[in-house]
Protein backbone atom coordinates (compact mmCIF):
# COMPACT_ATOMS: atom_id res chain seq x y z
CA UNK A 1 0.00 0.00 0.00
CA UNK A 2 1.34 3.41 -0.95
CA UNK A 3 2.13 6.05 1.64
CA UNK A 4 -0.01 9.22 1.46
CA UNK A 5 1.43 12.49 0.21
CA UNK A 6 -0.13 14.31 3.16
CA UNK A 7 -0.36 12.50 6.48
CA UNK A 8 -3.23 13.52 8.73
CA UNK A 9 -3.79 10.54 11.07
CA UNK A 10 -0.78 8.67 12.52
CA UNK A 11 -0.72 5.68 14.83
CA UNK A 12 2.69 5.03 16.39
CA UNK A 13 3.29 1.61 17.92
CA UNK A 14 6.92 2.27 18.93
CA UNK A 15 7.64 4.37 22.07
CA UNK A 16 10.85 6.00 20.86
CA UNK A 17 9.28 6.88 17.51
CA UNK A 18 6.27 8.35 19.31
CA UNK A 19 8.60 10.67 21.20
CA UNK A 20 10.22 11.57 17.87
CA UNK A 21 6.84 12.52 16.39
CA UNK A 22 6.29 14.89 19.30
CA UNK A 23 9.69 16.47 18.75
CA UNK A 24 8.86 16.98 15.06
CA UNK A 25 5.68 18.87 16.00
CA UNK A 26 3.00 16.34 15.06
CA UNK A 27 0.65 16.90 17.98
CA UNK A 28 -2.50 17.06 15.88
CA UNK A 29 -1.60 14.26 13.49
CA UNK A 30 -0.88 11.52 16.07
CA UNK A 31 -4.16 9.85 16.99
CA UNK A 32 -2.96 6.59 18.59
CA UNK A 33 -0.04 5.31 20.67
CA UNK A 34 0.79 2.22 22.75
CA UNK A 35 0.56 1.89 26.52
CA UNK A 36 4.37 1.99 26.61
CA UNK A 37 4.61 5.35 24.81
CA UNK A 38 5.28 7.25 28.03
CA UNK A 39 6.96 10.26 26.39
CA UNK A 40 5.77 12.93 26.12
CA UNK A 41 3.76 12.58 29.31
CA UNK A 42 0.92 14.73 28.03
CA UNK A 43 0.40 12.38 25.09
CA UNK A 44 0.51 9.40 27.43
CA UNK A 45 -2.31 10.96 29.44
CA UNK A 46 -4.75 11.71 26.65
CA UNK A 47 -3.83 10.06 23.35
CA UNK A 48 -5.82 6.94 22.43
CA UNK A 49 -3.94 3.80 23.44
CA UNK A 50 -3.89 0.87 21.04
CA UNK A 51 -2.51 -1.87 23.32
CA UNK A 52 1.07 -2.96 23.90
CA UNK A 53 3.85 -3.07 21.34
CA UNK A 54 3.67 -6.88 21.13
CA UNK A 55 -0.10 -7.11 21.61
CA UNK A 56 -1.80 -4.42 19.56
CA UNK A 57 -5.55 -3.98 19.64
CA UNK A 58 -6.26 -4.14 15.93
CA UNK A 59 -9.89 -3.11 16.31
CA UNK A 60 -8.94 0.11 18.08
CA UNK A 61 -6.37 0.85 15.38
CA UNK A 62 -8.96 0.26 12.67
CA UNK A 63 -11.40 2.60 14.42
CA UNK A 64 -8.80 5.39 14.31
CA UNK A 65 -8.58 5.12 10.49
CA UNK A 66 -4.86 5.95 10.31
CA UNK A 67 -3.27 6.97 7.03
CA UNK A 68 0.14 6.02 8.45
CA UNK A 69 1.25 3.47 11.06
CA UNK A 70 4.83 3.70 12.33
CA UNK A 71 6.17 0.33 13.50
CA UNK A 72 9.45 -1.47 14.15
CA UNK A 73 10.70 -4.91 13.12
CA UNK A 74 11.96 -5.83 16.59
CA UNK A 75 9.43 -4.16 18.86
CA UNK A 76 6.24 -5.24 17.10
CA UNK A 77 4.83 -8.60 16.10
CA UNK A 78 5.27 -9.49 12.45
CA UNK A 79 1.91 -11.25 12.16
CA UNK A 80 0.00 -8.24 13.48
CA UNK A 81 1.83 -5.84 11.19
CA UNK A 82 1.06 -8.03 8.18
CA UNK A 83 -2.64 -7.91 9.05
CA UNK A 84 -2.55 -4.13 9.37
CA UNK A 85 -0.71 -3.82 6.04
CA UNK A 86 -3.80 -5.19 4.31
CA UNK A 87 -5.72 -2.04 5.19
CA UNK A 88 -3.24 0.71 6.08
CA UNK A 89 0.17 2.06 5.06
CA UNK A 90 2.61 0.59 7.62
CA UNK A 91 6.17 1.92 7.73
CA UNK A 92 8.53 -0.47 9.56
CA UNK A 93 11.94 0.59 10.86
CA UNK A 94 14.83 -1.80 11.55
CA UNK A 95 17.39 -0.30 13.93
CA UNK A 96 20.70 -1.89 14.94
CA UNK A 97 23.14 1.03 14.85
CA UNK A 98 23.19 4.78 15.35
CA UNK A 99 23.33 5.24 11.58
CA UNK A 100 20.07 3.26 11.23
CA UNK A 101 18.39 5.52 13.79
CA UNK A 102 19.50 8.68 11.97
CA UNK A 103 18.19 7.30 8.69
CA UNK A 104 14.89 6.45 10.39
CA UNK A 105 14.55 10.02 11.70
CA UNK A 106 15.14 11.43 8.22
CA UNK A 107 12.65 8.98 6.69
CA UNK A 108 9.95 9.81 9.23
CA UNK A 109 10.56 13.48 8.53
CA UNK A 110 9.95 12.90 4.82
CA UNK A 111 6.83 10.78 5.45
CA UNK A 112 5.26 13.39 7.72
CA UNK A 113 6.31 16.54 5.83
CA UNK A 114 8.67 17.51 8.66
CA UNK A 115 11.87 16.99 6.72
CA UNK A 116 13.53 20.22 7.85
CA UNK A 117 12.84 19.53 11.52
CA UNK A 118 14.15 16.01 11.12
CA UNK A 119 17.37 17.13 9.42
CA UNK A 120 18.05 19.66 12.18
CA UNK A 121 17.58 16.92 14.78
CA UNK A 122 19.87 14.51 12.91
CA UNK A 123 22.60 17.13 12.72
CA UNK A 124 22.28 17.90 16.42
CA UNK A 125 22.56 14.21 17.32
CA UNK A 126 25.57 13.77 15.03
CA UNK A 127 27.33 16.76 16.60
CA UNK A 128 26.75 15.55 20.14
CA UNK A 129 27.95 12.02 19.43
CA UNK A 130 30.98 13.40 17.59
CA UNK A 131 31.99 15.21 20.78
CA UNK A 132 32.18 11.99 22.78
CA UNK A 133 35.72 10.83 23.67
CA UNK A 134 37.35 8.23 21.43
CA UNK A 135 37.52 5.47 24.02
CA UNK A 136 40.42 3.07 24.24
CA UNK A 137 40.60 -0.01 26.44
CA UNK A 138 36.84 -0.30 26.66
CA UNK A 139 35.51 -1.81 29.87
CA UNK A 140 34.06 -5.30 29.39
CA UNK A 141 30.37 -5.26 30.33
CA UNK A 142 27.16 -7.29 30.16
CA UNK A 143 23.85 -5.48 29.65
CA UNK A 144 20.89 -7.15 31.38
CA UNK A 145 17.33 -6.54 30.20
CA UNK A 146 15.51 -9.25 32.20
CA UNK A 147 15.87 -10.89 35.59
CA UNK A 148 14.28 -14.35 35.58
CA UNK A 149 15.33 -15.81 33.25
CA UNK A 150 18.53 -13.81 32.88
CA UNK A 151 18.38 -12.14 29.48
CA UNK A 152 21.08 -9.91 28.05
CA UNK A 153 21.75 -7.81 24.95
CA UNK A 154 23.76 -9.51 22.21
CA UNK A 155 26.05 -8.08 19.58
CA UNK A 156 23.52 -7.38 16.81
CA UNK A 157 21.34 -5.01 18.85
CA UNK A 158 21.04 -1.23 19.03
CA UNK A 159 21.96 -1.50 22.71
CA UNK A 160 25.27 -3.05 21.71
CA UNK A 161 26.06 -0.05 19.51
CA UNK A 162 25.17 2.39 22.29
CA UNK A 163 27.37 0.49 24.74
CA UNK A 164 30.40 1.35 22.60
CA UNK A 165 29.55 5.05 22.68
CA UNK A 166 29.16 4.80 26.45
CA UNK A 167 32.64 3.32 26.81
CA UNK A 168 31.78 -0.37 27.26
CA UNK A 169 32.75 -3.48 25.31
CA UNK A 170 29.86 -5.92 25.17
CA UNK A 171 31.08 -9.25 26.57
CA UNK A 172 28.21 -10.88 24.65
CA UNK A 173 29.42 -9.46 21.33
CA UNK A 174 29.33 -12.83 19.58
CA UNK A 175 25.78 -13.68 20.65
CA UNK A 176 22.64 -12.80 18.71
CA UNK A 177 19.68 -10.69 19.77
CA UNK A 178 18.69 -11.22 23.42
CA UNK A 179 19.94 -14.60 24.63
CA UNK A 180 18.86 -16.22 27.89
CA UNK A 181 21.92 -17.47 29.75
CA UNK A 182 22.71 -19.38 32.92
CA UNK A 183 24.59 -17.90 35.82
CA UNK A 184 27.65 -20.00 34.98
CA UNK A 185 27.60 -18.89 31.33
CA UNK A 186 27.55 -15.25 32.40
CA UNK A 187 30.30 -15.77 34.97
CA UNK A 188 32.49 -17.30 32.26
CA UNK A 189 32.36 -14.03 30.30
CA UNK A 190 34.41 -12.36 33.05
CA UNK A 191 32.76 -8.97 32.66
CA UNK A 192 34.10 -6.04 34.64
CA UNK A 193 30.70 -4.38 34.76
CA UNK A 194 27.14 -5.64 35.03
CA UNK A 195 24.71 -3.08 33.62
CA UNK A 196 21.16 -3.46 34.94
CA UNK A 197 18.74 -1.61 32.68
CA UNK A 198 15.68 0.24 33.93
CA UNK A 199 13.61 -1.40 31.18
CA UNK A 200 11.96 -3.62 30.18
CA UNK A 201 12.57 -5.28 33.57
CA UNK A 202 12.47 -2.67 36.35
CA UNK A 203 15.59 -3.55 38.33
CA UNK A 204 15.42 -2.24 41.91
CA UNK A 205 17.89 -1.73 44.75
CA UNK A 206 17.32 -5.31 45.95
CA UNK A 207 18.45 -6.60 42.56
CA UNK A 208 21.70 -4.62 42.75
CA UNK A 209 22.50 -6.39 46.02
CA UNK A 210 21.50 -9.78 44.61
CA UNK A 211 23.66 -9.36 41.51
CA UNK A 212 26.58 -8.16 43.59
CA UNK A 213 26.45 -11.54 45.30
CA UNK A 214 26.00 -13.45 42.06
CA UNK A 215 28.86 -11.65 40.29
CA UNK A 216 31.36 -10.68 43.01
CA UNK A 217 34.17 -9.75 40.59
CA UNK A 218 32.07 -7.24 38.63
CA UNK A 219 30.82 -3.77 39.48
CA UNK A 220 27.01 -3.59 39.38
CA UNK A 221 25.71 -0.44 37.69
CA UNK A 222 22.05 0.58 37.29
CA UNK A 223 21.51 2.34 33.94
CA UNK A 224 18.66 4.24 32.31
CA UNK A 225 17.54 1.97 29.51
CA UNK A 226 15.96 4.78 27.52
CA UNK A 227 19.39 6.17 26.64
CA UNK A 228 20.61 2.77 25.46
CA UNK A 229 17.55 1.56 23.56
CA UNK A 230 15.41 4.55 22.48
CA UNK A 231 16.43 5.56 18.98
CA UNK A 232 14.38 8.70 18.34
CA UNK A 233 14.82 12.25 19.59
CA UNK A 234 16.08 10.98 22.98
CA UNK A 235 19.37 10.30 21.21
CA UNK A 236 20.29 13.97 21.49
CA UNK A 237 20.45 13.56 25.28
CA UNK A 238 22.28 10.22 25.27
CA UNK A 239 25.88 11.50 24.91
CA UNK A 240 25.64 13.65 28.05
CA UNK A 241 24.17 10.70 29.92
CA UNK A 242 26.97 8.42 28.72
CA UNK A 243 29.64 10.90 29.82
CA UNK A 244 28.13 11.22 33.29
CA UNK A 245 27.73 7.45 33.57
CA UNK A 246 31.33 6.77 32.62
CA UNK A 247 32.56 9.36 35.10
CA UNK A 248 30.50 7.83 37.89
CA UNK A 249 31.64 4.24 37.27
CA UNK A 250 35.32 5.24 37.23
CA UNK A 251 35.20 7.27 40.45
Amino acid sequence: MEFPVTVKRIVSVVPSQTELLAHLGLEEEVVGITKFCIHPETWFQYKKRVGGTKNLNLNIIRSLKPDLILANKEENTREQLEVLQNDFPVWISDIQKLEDALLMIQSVGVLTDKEQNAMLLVQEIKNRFANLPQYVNLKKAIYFIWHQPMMIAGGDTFINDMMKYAGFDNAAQELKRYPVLTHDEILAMQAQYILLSSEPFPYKEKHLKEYAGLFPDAKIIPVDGEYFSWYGSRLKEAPDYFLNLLQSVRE
Side-chain angles (χ1 to χ4, degrees):
M1 186 172 291
E2 294 184 0
F3 295 104
V5 175
T6 301
V7 174
K8 295 182 178 179
R9 299 182 64 80
I10 303 171
V11 168
S12 174
V13 292
V14 185
S16 57
Q17 291 176 185
T18 297
E19 186 177 41
L20 169 63
L21 295 172
H23 180 89
L24 296 179
L26 292 156
E27 167 84 23
E28 297 298 323
E29 289 83 356
V30 175
V31 296
I33 62 176
T34 76
K35 65 180 181 180
F36 300 118
C37 295
I38 59 175
H39 301 298
E41 185 177 351
T42 51
W43 286 22
F44 182 68
Q45 295 300 326
Y46 77 85
K47 293 285 186 185
K48 187 70 174 180
R49 300 187 196 173
V50 299
T53 53
K54 298 289 189 185
N55 187 24
L56 300 171
N57 189 315
L58 302 188
N59 288 331
I60 292 179
I61 292 177
R62 291 189 182 101
S63 73
L64 293 173
K65 297 180 170 59
D67 49 24
L68 176 63
I69 298 174
L70 290 183
N72 176 264
K73 180 179 178 181
E74 177 179 285
E75 295 195 43
N76 304 122
T77 304
R78 177 179 176 179
E79 290 75 16
Q80 288 198 310
L81 295 183
E82 288 177 346
V83 171
L84 290 170
Q85 284 176 318
N86 291 327
D87 299 311
F88 308 104
V90 181
W91 190 84
I92 305 171
S93 61
D94 184 11
I95 315 291
Q96 294 186 14
K97 295 182 179 295
L98 177 61
E99 291 76 15
D100 301 330
L102 298 179
L103 181 58
M104 177 275 293
I105 293 171
Q106 294 177 53
S107 299
V108 170
V110 172
L111 285 169
T112 59
D113 198 27
K114 296 289 184 180
E115 190 170 3
Q116 184 63 30
N117 291 2
M119 291 303 296
L120 289 173
L121 175 59
V122 165
Q123 192 57 54
E124 181 180 5
I125 293 171
K126 284 183 176 179
N127 291 342
R128 294 193 178 192
F129 271 84
N131 288 330
L132 282 171
Q134 296 298 306
Y135 300 114
V136 294
N137 299 322
L138 297 179
K139 301 297 183 181
K140 198 173 182 181
I142 297 175
Y143 190 103
F144 280 77
I145 66 166
W146 204 258
H147 178 50
Q148 291 180 339
M150 289 182 175
M151 186 181 295
I152 65 174
D156 58 347
T157 61
F158 182 69
I159 290 171
N160 176 76
D161 201 41
M162 290 298 101
M163 287 175 70
K164 297 174 186 175
Y165 287 107
F168 297 105
D169 178 29
N170 189 356
Q173 189 72 227
E174 302 305 316
L175 301 180
K176 301 295 185 183
R177 309 314 297 153
Y178 303 98
V180 172
L181 302 180
T182 66
H183 175 242
D184 287 344
E185 287 173 328
I186 295 170
L187 271 180
M189 292 181 178
Q190 299 180 326
Q192 297 166 280
Y193 292 98
I194 298 293
L195 308 181
L196 299 183
S197 178
S198 60
E199 61 171 42
F201 183 84
Y203 285 98
K204 305 297 184 185
E205 184 66 31
K206 65 178 182 179
H207 298 111
L208 270 66
K209 295 178 180 178
E210 179 180 350
Y211 278 61
L214 290 171
F215 306 102
D217 295 329
K219 187 171 184 179
I220 314 301
I221 307 293
V223 298
D224 189 330
E226 291 178 1
Y227 294 110
F228 282 89
S229 61
W230 286 45
Y231 38 76
S233 50
R234 187 152 296 258
L235 279 171
K236 64 187 177 69
E237 302 170 16
D240 283 345
Y241 176 78
F242 293 157
L243 284 172
N244 291 332
L245 177 64
L246 193 63
Q247 181 179 357
S248 67
V249 300
R250 288 184 174 177
E251 286 178 349

